[in-house]
Amino acid sequence: MPRPKVFITRKIADSGIQLLKKTCDVRIYPQNQPIPRQELLRGVKWCDALLPLLTERIDKEVLDANPKLKIVANYAVGFDNIDVTSATSKSIPVTNTPGVLEDAVAEHTFALLFAISKHLVEADRFTRRGKYKSWEPLLFLGPQLKGKVLGIVGLGRIGSSVAEKARAMGMQVTYTDVQRNPAFEKKFQARFVSKEVLLKTADFVSLHVPLLPATRHLIGAKELRMMKKTAYLINTSRGPVVDERALVRALQKKMIAGAGLDVYEFEPKLAPGLNKLPNVILTPHTASATLEARQAMSVIAAKNILAVLRGKKAPHAVNPEVYKKR
Ligand code: DGY
């Protein structure tokens, strides 16, 4: 029997690749850059299972390119890069990598939060440049975190992990979501509030929603105006959740104290002016970039593929309805 074929759109952490190689022929797009569209289409036509990254748009054209495609196993927990409706209509399971990157993303959320509120990048630059001449009582002042309110927008696994870490530092937690979670409230003494109340009262607002039509520009000019002048916005979810041009204007006018961003509305491009602002810290979508998370994501993607190739249900299908239709 011929071995099944798996196409991976860019080199990923090795553990899942090794797992796949035991029973499958694996082809990986060899360049360290997002795969060009034509190469992607060629790869899809060749394979039984596709393992793309969040940088690839897996739309109807891609799915149409191979009527025998058995699975799209995204190397990410977010899957807004995939036309899931089209995949479902073709009975193709789409999978993601949940349950392994919450801590990585929550830790990065705090890395951004610390870095921006404690002026770490500026202070480092200042010190390296020999500007540190004497101890100064008013140099690089910022808020203490203990006792401050962290407002979590979107209480999934990542939001919960952020809450856990916030509580460990003595922060108060508020949250908003489409539904309440009483167990979470009890565990972390968290307060459920409306989006408006959260924005008006939080010292730090941290975004953890998936990108959906309803969450696009969830934070725009109006919402930024609601935030305290002393508050910080942290985004490790998806760029288009924030109206980035409105954020640049808000930061220029010092309507809020600062922002920590790992994701961008026009990724990998930045909205004009963003990179000139001193009150923002920027990272290149690396929130899940721990060695542990990236290896675990690789294994999960591989396991989803192997299950489907063996005629089983994918453990992490985001469109489980494909199995009902059969
Ligand atoms: C995800 O998995 O969706 C993350 O954005 C990758 O870092």
Side-chain angles (χ1 to χ4, degrees):
M1 237 188 47
R3 283 156 63 92
K5 297 178 183 126
V6 179
F7 185 64
I8 307 178
T9 58
R10 191 162 172 177
K11 176 101 176 71
I12 59 170
D14 209 39
S15 35
I17 301 177
Q18 291 314 325
L19 216 54
L20 289 166
K21 279 187 172 167
K22 287 184 188 163
T23 52
C24 307
D25 285 345
V26 177
R27 220 179 251 182
I28 305 172
Y29 176 65
Q31 309 294 328
N32 189 23
Q33 61 181 39
I35 186 169
R37 188 77 177 171
Q38 285 314 315
E39 296 284 341
L40 172 62
L41 291 168
R42 212 193 324 266
V44 174
K45 282 182 191 147
W46 171 81
C47 70
D48 300 294
L50 176 66
L51 197 164
L53 315 187
L54 55 81
T55 41
E56 277 78 70
R57 194 164 39 84
I58 307 300
D59 55 13
K60 190 165 175 307
E61 186 192 16
V62 174
L63 298 167
D64 281 347
N66 180 355
K68 296 205 171 122
L69 188 65
K70 293 194 171 66
I71 176 172
V72 178
N74 214 30
Y75 187 63
V77 72
F79 48 90
D80 45 281
N81 57 313
I82 300 176
D83 180 349
V84 178
T85 310
S86 278
T88 306
S89 73
K90 294 170 182 296
S91 299
I92 299 173
V94 173
T95 62
N96 67 343
T97 60
V100 293
L101 48 74
E102 304 53 51
D103 283 316
V105 177
E107 285 172 10
H108 197 85
T109 299
F110 276 97
L112 292 173
L113 191 153
F114 275 119
I116 189 66
S117 63
K118 297 186 182 299
H119 309 280
L120 289 190
V121 174
E122 279 176 273
D124 174 86
R125 216 174 284 141
F126 177 91
T127 312
R128 281 173 200 268
R129 289 184 183 158
K131 292 188 176 172
Y132 177 37
K133 303 293 183 204
S134 70
W135 185 81
E136 283 186 50
L138 302 178
L139 183 63
F140 291 129
L141 294 183
Q144 169 183 291
L145 299 191
K146 187 169 178 182
K148 294 294 184 307
V149 177
L150 176 74
I152 296 173
V153 180
L155 191 73
R157 288 185 168 116
I158 297 172
S160 301
S161 181
V162 168
E164 183 186 26
K165 289 162 181 54
R167 289 297 294 153
M169 284 187 291
M171 298 181 85
Q172 304 300 311
V173 173
T174 59
Y175 78 104
T176 192
D177 204 333
V178 282
Q179 64 187 39
R180 281 183 79 153
N181 182 335
F184 167 82
E185 288 171 31
K186 197 164 166 217
K187 188 165 176 195
F188 298 113
Q189 284 114 54
R191 209 156 62 86
F192 178 80
V193 291
S194 66
K195 182 175 112 180
E196 285 70 19
V197 170
L198 184 141
L199 292 170
K200 284 179 180 164
T201 54
D203 299 297
F204 297 89
V205 174
S206 194
L207 307 177
H208 301 288
V209 290
L211 178 60
L212 303 167
T215 60
R216 189 173 288 272
H217 284 194
L218 191 69
I219 303 296
K222 181 168 137 237
E223 288 73 20
L224 290 161
R225 270 197 302 274
M226 286 181 192
M227 288 175 65
K228 293 187 194 179
K229 260 184 103 102
T230 51
Y232 296 84
L233 178 71
I234 311 293
N235 189 11
T236 53
S237 63
R238 284 292 182 265
V241 171
V242 175
D243 177 346
E244 202 168 295
R245 293 192 176 101
L247 177 62
V248 170
R249 285 192 294 273
L251 289 165
Q252 283 167 340
K253 291 182 189 155
K254 299 204 168 58
M255 281 161 54
I256 62 172
L261 306 177
D262 184 52
V263 288
Y264 306 92
E265 184 169 2
F266 314 101
E267 208 160 313
K269 294 200 174 88
L270 307 183
L274 187 64
N275 66 344
K276 299 282 184 296
L277 293 166
N279 47 350
V280 67
I281 177 148
L282 310 171
T283 53
H285 205 148
T286 46
S288 70
T290 63
L291 299 166
E292 293 84 351
R294 291 286 167 87
Q295 289 291 3
M297 288 162 68
S298 176
V299 170
I300 290 199
K303 285 188 172 167
N304 280 312
I305 289 174
L306 292 172
V308 168
L309 293 177
R310 288 174 188 142
K312 302 215 167 70
K313 287 185 183 175
H316 302 99
V318 301
N319 56 347
E321 57 275 26
V322 290
Y323 296 114
K324 289 194 195 113
K325 289 172 66 185
R326 285 174 184 173

